[in-house]
């Protein structure tokens, strides 16, 4: 798997589309090693810790990685740890770094608000149920009302 990733990374300039295909093929081969290798190359630029209320108090940690070139586009990976259903590792693609970052933030918001804890209203940030993650148009009703000053 590492060899496939090394080959893919070496061809990024000439074969951007092929790189995505090789990485996705490695990821879908049933091993998480390819995913770990890709995530390890990313740099965490922001993180947020959320509280989960309920019988036992615990935390959910969200990590956002620096957008990186992926062929002609940019990939912004993120990780959500601590949800009852398990950790989430995912990414968003954009035509530039800003779009990849914005789409990743929206992806985080959707996953948090649609998680079991989110639907049960158990997630909070700074004591409020609105987690301050943006949502795409059409699903903004998933989030509780914004905080009032």
């Amino acid at each position: 798997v590492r060899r496939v990733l090394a080959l893919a990374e070496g061809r990024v300039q000439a074969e951007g589309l092929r790189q995505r295909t090789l990485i996705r093929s490695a990821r879908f081969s049933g091993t998480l090693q390819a995913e770990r290798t890709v995530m390890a190359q990313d740099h965490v630029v922001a993180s947020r810790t959320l509280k989960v209320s309920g019988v036992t108090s615990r935390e959910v940690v969200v990590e956002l990685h620096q957008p990186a070139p992926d062929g002609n586009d940019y990939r912004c990976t993120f990780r959500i740890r601590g949800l009852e259903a398990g950790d989430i590792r995912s990414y968003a693609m954009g035509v530039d770094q800003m779009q990849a970052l914005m789409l990743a933030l929206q992806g985080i918001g959707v996953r948090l608000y649609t998680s079991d804890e989110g639907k049960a209203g158990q997630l909070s940030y700074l004591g409020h149920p609105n987690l301050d993650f943006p949502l795409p148009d059409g699903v903004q009703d998933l989030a509780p009302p914004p905080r009032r000053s």
Side-chain angles (χ1 to χ4, degrees):
V1 171
R2 286 185 182 161
R3 187 172 182 204
V4 170
L5 288 172
L7 286 170
E9 290 167 2
R11 297 179 184 164
V12 68
Q13 295 299 327
E15 301 179 34
L17 181 59
R18 180 151 171 75
Q19 180 199 21
R20 284 192 298 254
T21 303
L22 288 173
I23 290 173
R24 287 184 183 134
S25 296
R27 187 173 300 134
F28 293 127
S29 69
T31 179
L32 289 177
Q33 187 61 41
E35 181 72 19
R36 286 190 194 109
T37 302
V38 171
M39 294 288 284
Q41 294 172 352
D42 294 332
H43 177 71
V44 175
V45 294
S47 65
R48 176 172 287 174
T49 301
L50 308 171
K51 299 290 184 195
V52 180
S53 61
V55 177
T56 59
S57 184
R58 59 187 164 89
E59 295 180 337
V60 171
V61 177
V62 178
E63 294 176 340
L64 184 65
H65 298 253
Q66 179 176 343
D70 187 344
N72 294 326
D73 299 318
Y74 285 84
R75 173 190 299 252
C76 187
T77 57
F78 59 89
R79 183 175 179 186
I80 303 171
R81 292 182 289 125
L83 293 173
E84 189 68 35
D87 293 355
I88 296 172
R89 293 181 178 99
S90 192
Y91 63 90
M93 299 292 293
V95 296
D96 59 16
Q97 291 177 328
M98 187 64 70
Q99 185 184 39
L101 183 69
M102 291 169 46
L103 292 174
L105 288 169
Q106 290 179 354
I108 291 168
V110 168
R111 283 165 179 82
L112 289 172
Y113 289 123
T114 59
S115 68
D116 291 341
E117 294 90 338
K119 289 188 274 188
Q122 295 177 321
L123 292 176
S124 66
Y125 174 62
L126 299 177
H128 194 275
N130 187 306
L131 308 176
D132 284 340
F133 282 101
L135 290 168
D137 293 339
V139 295
Q140 292 181 351
D141 59 326
L142 292 174
R147 293 172 226 226
R148 296 181 191 251
S149 301

